[in-house]
Structure formats: C-alpha cells, structure tokens
Amino acid sequence: MNPPNWLRAIGRVSLWVWAVFGLLFLFTPILVTVIYSFNEPTGKYNYVWNKFSLSGWTDPFKYPELTDALIFSLKIAVVVTVIATVLGTLMGLAMVKYKFRAKGTIGAILILPLTMPEIVLGFSLLTLFVSINWSRGFLTIVIAQVMFSVSYVATTVRARIRGFDWRLEEASLDLGASALRTFYKVTLPLIAPGVVAAAMLTFALSLDDFIITYLNSGLDNTFPIQIWNMKRSKIPVQINVFSTALLIISIVLAALLVIFNNRRAQKLAGLSDS
Amino acid sequence: MTSPTAADLSAPVIEIDHVVKRFGEFVAVDDVDFSIGQGEFFSMLGPSGCGKTTTLRMIAGFEQPTSGAVRLDGVDVSKVPPNKRDVNTVFQQYALFPHMNVFDNVAFGPQSKNVDKATIKKRVTEMLEVVRLTDFASRRPAQLSGGQQQRVALARALVNLPKALLLDEPLGALDLKLRHAMQFELKRIQREVGITFVYVTHDQEEALTMSDRIAVMSDGRVEQIGTPAEIYDNPASEFVAGFIGQANLWPATVTEHTTGTTRVTALGGACLGGSCGDSTLAVGSMATLMVRPERISISLTQPTSETGVDQSVNATVSDLAFQGPIVRLALEAADGSPIIANVDPDADLPLLRPGDSVWASWTQSAACVLPSAPNQQPQLLED
C-alpha cells in the first residue's frame, strides 16, 4: 500500500531539512574560519566577531614564526608527496599486476597504518628514533609521514588501476620499447589520474597531520604545531588567512583535476576531437 | 610471393625446434616442430586450448619454451626479450594505445628504436596509405570502427618491417561481413609488403582462404602441416578430417593393402577402398574411412562402372534439407551408420522422401583410410 500524500509531503520536507542540516554540520566550521579571516579581533584572540577588516589579508606575514612554520610544512609536504607517491604507486602496481607469495600479508600490512590509532604509530616511531639516537626534525617528520602516506597512495592507485589492460604493456614491448620506456610512455600516462589523485591526497594529509608529526618533530614546528603552540599566547587572524588561502588553493586544484579527468575520459572514449 | 605448394624452407625465417611449454603440470605445447619460410602466409589452426596462441607468444617472446628452441633467421632467440626480437604482433583486441592518436600509435615502434623524425614521418605516412587510413591519422582509437582499429594495429606492427608478423585471431572481434572483407585486405597487404605472416585462428574457413600452409593443432601437438588443399583432400587424422570442413567418418577394418590402395570393410560389411590416408595400418586393425559429403553422388539404382564411380553402398534416406547452393541429404547405411551427402539441387534426381532406398557412391580417390582416434567413437564431425 502506498503511503498517503500528507505523509509523502512530510517525507520530502524532512529529507530536505536533513540534507541542509547535514551540509551545515560539515561546512559551518570551514565557513567560520573563512569569515573570521575578515575579523578585526579586539584582543589577541580571534574568537569573537568585532568588525569587518582586511587587516589580516593585507598583512599576512605579520608573525614570522607562523609564516616560517607554513613554509616548513609546505617543504615537508612536497618531499613527502614525491617520495610517498613514487613508492606507493609502484606498490599499488605490483599488488595489481603480479602474483607473488605473501601478497595477502602485504595487503593487510598496507591497510594497517590507515586503521591504527595515530598516537600508537607516532609513539612507536618516536621510541624507535630515540633508541637509535636520531635527533628529531625535518628528516624524522618526513619518514613518519611517508610511512602512513604510502598506504594511502598504494590503496588509491590500486583501486584506480584494477581495470588496466596489461596487454598494452605487451604491445609496447613487442614494438621494441624497453621496460622503462613502456612505463613512461604507456603505463604511467594511463594510470596518471589515479596517481595525481593519490598525490593530492598525500599533500593534504601531510599539511594536516598533527599527532604523528608532533611526536616526531623535535624542536621544528609545522603549521599545525605552530598554531597549537601559539594558542596559549594568541590566536591571530593570520591563522585564518593562511587556512582560507590553503582552502581556496585546494578547491581550485581539485576542480582542475576533475575538469582535466573529464576531458581526458571523453578523449579516451572518443567523444571529442583531440 | 612464394607459391602455395613450394614454400622456400632452405632458409626459413622462423624455426620452431622441438618446443615444449609447460605451465606447472599442464603441457600447453608438446614437442612442436616446424619451419616457416620467407614471405609465407602460415596459419596455426585449432580449437581453443590447442597451444596455437602459446606457440605464437613464444615466437613473440612473451613466453619462454620449457625445452627446445625458437630461431629467427637461424639465430636462437629463446631467451631474447620481446623488445629485442625482430617480429611484431597484432593482438586479439588490437591493444592500441588509447591515449595516442593513430599517427602516434603507428610511430611508436620506430620511435622506440630511435629512428630520426623525418624517416618516421615518411614511413608512418606510407604505412597509413597501405592500410588506407591516411585521413584518420589524428583520430584516437576510440573514434574508429572495429575494422579501422584492426588496420591501425596492422600498420603499427608492419611499420617496423619485421622479419615476421604474428597475428593472434585478429579478425575475431569483427562481424562476419567485415571479417570476409578483412581476409582479402590482409592478403593484399601481405602481398604488398612481402612479409611473412604467422596467423593464429580457430576458424578453418579463414585459414583455408588465406594461408599458403596450415598447421592443424590439437592438445598442444601439430596434427598435420600442409597446403589448404593437401589438408582438405588428404587429412592425416580423424581430427584433421573433422576439424577442416565436413567429413563422413565411418569405423572400418583394414583387410588388405594393394599399390596405392588400402582396402577395408565398413558400413555393414561393404568392401571399400581408400586411395589416401595411412598405408601402414596393420591388416585387421580398426581404422576410419573418410569421404567428404560433396564427393558423394546419389542414384536410385546401383551405379555401374561406366558412370566412373567405383564405390557404392545401399542406404535409406532419413532426412533432406535445401541449403541454397546444395541439398543436404542424411542417409542411413545398412548397419545404421549415418551418411551425409551434399548434392547439387540441379542434379537429375527424382523427388526423394525419407524412407526411400538409394545408392550412395563415390570414387575411391575421394576416400581416405585414417587411423582411428583413440578413446573416441567415430562419428560425423562438423565445423
């Protein structure tokens, strides 16, 4: 029996309410960050709305320790993204392409960093670094972040290349290309969307990571750690400015990636002229 | 081009020297041994799983023989990787590079070998002319029809001027009409470029139409190698007789060998002879008598020697079907064995009905006595 019309109407309305509520729940914190980047706080803490101002945007580098931390974070993110993307992509390829012993075990180990509590990973790494007497800093942060990022990259790449036609590699070899040339000219261009998506994910994860990085950073401060440290004395509007800027950059990059992938998919499917 | 009967095998392009390929316990290719001459159109024909594709992949270099050797122009290449071998493959589903246009697909081989740009452009343009795709150079593979993709795959392989072109069921993905057109196209291209073609197919008609020679394969072994006519008229085994075209295959007992003839009893005691087949079968042993349906003629009375036929048996009509160019008659011999005869619809025959008694006759030269296939009831095999 069909539900009566009034019940359907209520259903429609409540679906909308839920949807709006859900989106608000997700986006309010981000929206607050953006709005408060235009605030002129009365004290040292950018917690209460005072009045609209562009002071944060016109003078974003007012606190050198914050700027330095952001640059440091970006440096780490670049290095981690490069290393983790290369390693993770090769792992993902190997997991799909080859049959080998312990493949299942390696697959399980790959998932582990995604499911284990960060505090456990971070602390065990710290224990390791202390026990072998490594001073913490740039290198240990990179190692720590690469460790978990590789899992994300391998898992993403693996999922994206399931349907890859391996005979294309045979065709390339057959035409006289070396294994290396086959990889650069055939395999890599075709799996590129998956690799780029994985790289962007890694970059975001690296910028954002706090717990593992905090435990293994020594005296060096990444952007999230710097905010954490500053919060005892001040929360300047520049934090919101940088965060908003990063947000805009990542939205633009993601949008570009979607557009690029759609065009490419159309080309490969023969829907538009190349 | 080499004439179909006289492939020049004094300096073969490809030699398969007692090659065995095992995958674990499974023997995919079992002691295959043959040579392919310069400019030959050579087919490996057989049902799926007969080892033809594995043999082709060993020539290409994607598989290594477990034992034996593959030689190209006399040089053992068994351990040479595919990118260092002077042969090229046309893959079953073409395996064109989807992210490159037609020109770049065809140019991929010469580019990999560091040929200079001007030469590449010239050779690719020429090859696109040969396969008649000049106007499609900037298209992506996905924008082409199946037949066009097929020709890109051909051009991409042939532009490297390989010692041999390996084709793995290249027409399998095309519909019937296009397949027939492409068969002629392939022959034309092969004549034009003069390169040895090694063609893998399970389609006997395709192999008969195009090949200079055919190797019929079954269960990893070569059953027979010969020209299409040799294989059709003088099959070496029951399997070959049944796989290529249609054949009547009757159980028989060998009674006598005379010059050029093996005499047998078959079809309920009739004394019959065969001019071809295996003349070494022991007297008294079980054999199979083969006659092609189109070689059988039908009459109401027993034919006399004046009619030119020398073999005849009495049979009952069980079914008849008009099939356009032929009428297909199903008969039953005295012992219940089925006899299939394809007769010309214009033949001077009275109206036959099931149950009518007729004489089926043929000349002895149309009959072959073949060794019985082990573990297999002789039966009428069809394509």
Side-chain angles (χ1 to χ4, degrees), chain A residues 140-154:
Chain A
T140 51
I141 297 174
V142 168
I143 291 173
Q145 292 194 355
V146 164
M147 185 198 63
F148 69 82
S149 300
V150 161
S151 294
Y152 283 98
V153 177

Side-chain angles (χ1 to χ4, degrees), chain B residues 26-351:
Chain B
F26 176 68
V27 184
V29 173
D30 191 0
D31 196 28
V32 165
D33 186 80
F34 57 77
S35 299
I36 302 170
Q38 170 58 44
E40 235 191 318
F41 198 119
F42 187 93
S43 293
M44 289 189 267
L45 172 67
S48 58
C50 73
K52 56 191 192 297
T53 296
T54 308
T55 307
L56 194 80
R57 288 174 63 81
M58 284 192 282
I59 303 173
F62 298 126
E63 308 285 354
Q64 263 91 52
T66 310
S67 69
V70 175
R71 281 191 286 274
L72 286 178
D73 265 352
V75 181
D76 187 350
V77 293
S78 306
K79 300 277 186 295
V80 176
N83 53 324
K84 300 265 165 63
R85 291 192 191 191
D86 206 359
V87 291
N88 288 110
T89 308
V90 174
F91 291 84
Q92 205 164 7
Q93 310 282 337
Y94 323 132
L96 299 176
F97 304 126
H99 57 301
M100 298 179 195
N101 65 24
V102 169
F103 186 95
D104 291 336
N105 262 284
V106 179
F108 190 87
Q111 276 167 0
S112 300
K113 286 165 193 144
N114 294 317
V115 177
D116 68 274
K117 272 197 177 149
T119 315
I120 291 178
K121 190 160 175 18
K122 187 170 152 283
R123 267 166 63 185
V124 172
T125 311
E126 279 171 10
M127 199 42 75
L128 287 178
E129 264 165 44
V130 171
V131 299
R132 298 174 181 163
L133 280 176
T134 311
D135 297 339
F136 297 87
S138 59
R139 297 263 194 109
R140 297 263 183 158
Q143 295 171 289
L144 302 176
S145 70
Q148 290 166 336
Q149 291 184 27
Q150 166 70 71
R151 283 183 284 162
V152 176
L154 265 174
R156 184 178 69 172
L158 285 172
V159 75
N160 306 292
L161 302 174
K163 289 199 176 104
L165 183 73
L166 314 176
L167 302 106
D168 185 7
E169 307 241 7
L171 307 183
L174 303 179
D175 62 59
L176 192 64
K177 263 200 176 142
L178 197 52
R179 211 149 66 206
H180 284 156
M182 280 306 295
Q183 288 176 6
F184 288 106
E185 189 78 354
L186 275 175
K187 277 302 273 185
R188 175 186 69 79
I189 291 168
Q190 198 234 355
R191 272 195 300 274
E192 233 162 271
V193 295
I195 288 173
T196 306
F197 275 35
V198 185
Y199 194 95
V200 157
T201 183
H202 65 270
D203 183 336
Q204 45 110 1
E205 185 226 319
E206 221 168 84
L208 289 175
T209 309
M210 292 191 285
S211 317
D212 295 326
R213 283 194 307 151
I214 301 172
V216 184
M217 296 181 71
S218 161
D219 287 335
R221 290 175 164 277
V222 174
E223 293 270 332
Q224 187 174 8
I225 296 182
T227 65
E230 279 167 13
I231 285 181
Y232 188 80
D233 293 334
N234 195 354
S237 67
E238 234 187 278
F239 174 81
V240 176
F243 195 74
I244 314 268
Q246 297 174 350
N248 287 295
L249 299 165
W250 302 304
T253 311
V254 179
T255 54
E256 189 191 357
H257 288 290
T258 57
T259 323
T261 306
T262 304
R263 304 214 57 86
V264 297
T265 53
L267 293 169
C271 284
L272 299 164
S275 299
C276 62
D278 192 343
S279 58
T280 62
L281 291 164
V283 170
S285 68
M286 286 303 294
T288 299
L289 184 67
M290 185 221 65
V291 181
R292 299 276 179 202
E294 70 274 16
R295 304 296 288 268
I296 299 179
S297 34
I298 301 295
S299 55
L300 289 176
T301 53
Q302 181 160 23
T304 53
S305 52
E306 291 94 71
T307 54
V309 296
D310 47 13
Q311 312 280 307
S312 55
V313 289
N314 192 227
T316 314
V317 177
S318 52
D319 195 15
L320 64 173
F322 177 72
Q323 295 188 333
I326 56 153
V327 173
R328 189 177 157 90
L329 277 173
L331 314 171
E332 202 173 281
D335 69 335
S337 297
I339 302 173
I340 298 290
N342 293 343
V343 273
D344 189 340
D346 298 332
D348 192 17
L349 266 181
L351 193 62

Side-chain angles (χ1 to χ4, degrees), chain A residues 114-223:
Chain A
L114 312 183
T115 52
M116 228 202 284
E118 279 198 54
I119 189 81
V120 177
L121 282 178
F123 200 76
S124 58
L125 263 174
L126 176 62
T127 315
L128 174 72
F129 290 138
V130 169
S131 68
I132 60 174
N133 214 9
W134 273 22
S135 60
R136 271 75 66 205
F138 187 86
L139 186 64
T140 51
I141 297 174
V142 168
I143 291 173
Q145 292 194 355
V146 164
M147 185 198 63
F148 69 82
S149 300
V150 161
S151 294
Y152 283 98
V153 177
T155 317
T156 312
V157 169
R158 194 177 159 188
R160 294 289 289 264
I161 60 174
R162 277 271 152 76
F164 188 80
D165 183 2
W166 299 105
R167 281 173 325 134
L168 293 174
E169 289 194 339
E170 282 193 349
S172 170
L173 289 173
D174 185 77
L175 291 165
S178 62
L180 201 64
R181 186 177 151 82
T182 297
F183 183 74
Y184 282 116
K185 288 282 177 182
V186 177
T187 317
L188 192 57
L190 287 172
I191 66 167
V195 175
V196 172
M200 286 176 69
L201 179 68
T202 307
F203 197 85
L205 285 171
S206 166
L207 272 187
D208 168 76
D209 185 67
F210 184 78
I211 300 173
I212 295 176
T213 308
Y214 186 65
L215 285 166
N216 292 284
S217 62
L219 297 173
D220 288 332
N221 290 333
T222 62
F223 188 59

